[in-house]
Amino acid sequence: VNIGASDGKSEDPLYALISQEGLSGVAVEADPRQCEKFRENVPSVELHCEVATPYNILDLVLPAVGPFVDVLKLDVDSYDCALLEELLPNVQAHLLLAEINPGVPPPFKFAMRYHPRLLPFFESLDTIQDVPIRGCSLSYVVDLAARYGYDLVAFGIHDALFSHRNVRHVWDVKPPVDEFECYNESFVSLNGIPISSARDWFFGGDVHANLADIWSFLVNWSRERAGGELFPF
């Protein structure tokens, strides 16, 4: 299952698996231009060329693959965890690959919520490379995934890999790994959040003050760049 599939090949870790093993599956991608490329690159995978929302994601996924899959990958650069919260109770995967917003470090739990105007706002920007109001923090996804039987296995840059507890036996070092140690040792992409702020939030001692600082930063960023609108998180 590949949600936010782009062209199915560029920087997609599933491409090698699909092309080498001849696997099938289902993908969702909102950009029609990327959909054309996806169909050329990965013809064995069923593609839905439309916007995934918490209200349609199960209808897009379950009829194609059922409740048990090998890999669930999610990368929509927006309300990722709103989709995960619908998928995880209904789809069990051996591996879960989720994009993370590393700008909000452990132990803080952050997730953008679904809003119908969020994607149009992102599309109005020149780039979303430095947009902090997207995705979910590592601690949020670790907590969410654990509720459905997933262990953190690896993290780096802006992706986290989880495996289901029913395949713990395949790992030499038994998961889960520690999210704090994993974050501390990783190279991360901060999504427009100043590195000095992320460092203070991670290493600083006053958790409550840091939480208030994170809240203020995200609220002010949204209001300043979205014409006063505050998107939910």
Side-chain angles (χ1 to χ4, degrees):
V1 177
N2 191 345
I3 311 300
S6 188
D7 67 3
K9 184 176 181 179
S10 302
E11 300 183 3
D12 194 320
L14 299 187
Y15 178 75
L17 181 65
I18 294 169
S19 59
Q20 293 170 12
E21 303 295 333
L23 300 182
S24 60
V26 63
V28 183
E29 171 56 43
D31 187 337
R33 296 165 298 181
Q34 299 287 29
C35 289
E36 291 183 14
K37 297 176 183 178
F38 184 97
R39 292 189 175 100
E40 295 176 1
N41 293 329
V42 197
S44 65
V45 173
E46 178 181 330
L47 175 67
H48 295 281
C49 192
E50 58 184 285
V51 175
T53 75
Y55 306 106
N56 69 3
I57 189 63
L58 294 182
D59 291 335
L60 296 176
V61 170
L62 286 177
V65 295
F68 299 101
V69 301
D70 295 302
V71 183
L72 170 59
K73 177 209 153 201
L74 188 66
D75 179 0
V76 296
D77 290 317
S78 55
Y79 42 81
D80 299 56
C81 279
L83 299 178
L84 265 184
E85 286 162 359
E86 296 297 322
L87 287 164
L88 291 183
N90 296 284
V91 178
Q92 181 177 306
H94 294 315
L95 295 175
L96 165 65
L97 182 62
E99 187 178 49
I100 302 298
N101 182 341
V104 181
F108 302 103
K109 298 175 183 177
F110 158 81
M112 287 302 296
R113 313 312 304 166
Y114 172 72
H115 192 289
R117 291 195 296 275
L118 183 62
L119 290 183
F121 167 64
F122 286 167
E123 291 169 357
S124 72
L125 303 174
D126 293 333
T127 177
I128 62 168
Q129 186 68 33
D130 293 326
V131 173
I133 56 165
R134 57 189 175 105
C136 339
S137 67
L138 179 61
S139 290
Y140 192 101
V141 183
V142 167
D143 180 71
L144 174 61
R147 293 180 228 160
Y148 298 98
Y150 294 90
D151 298 319
L152 178 65
V153 174
F155 167 73
I157 304 180
H158 51 61
D159 292 303
L161 179 66
F162 300 80
S163 71
H164 198 271
R165 289 169 193 160
N166 63 13
V167 292
R168 272 180 177 171
H169 61 279
V170 307
W171 301 98
D172 292 331
V173 177
K174 293 297 184 288
V177 299
D178 182 81
E179 67 193 86
F180 289 84
E181 181 179 350
C182 215
Y183 185 93
N184 187 47
E185 295 181 355
S186 297
F187 176 83
V188 297
S189 174
L190 295 178
N191 292 2
I193 293 175
I195 190 170
S196 58
S197 296
R199 185 184 294 115
D200 288 344
W201 299 337
F202 185 57
F203 292 106
D206 192 334
V207 174
H208 297 289
N210 289 339
L211 179 61
D213 195 30
I214 293 169
W215 177 273
S216 296
F217 179 90
L218 296 172
V219 167
N220 291 335
W221 192 99
S222 180
R223 285 179 171 159
E224 288 171 6
R225 290 162 176 80
E229 183 158 21
L230 177 59
F231 291 105
F233 62 87

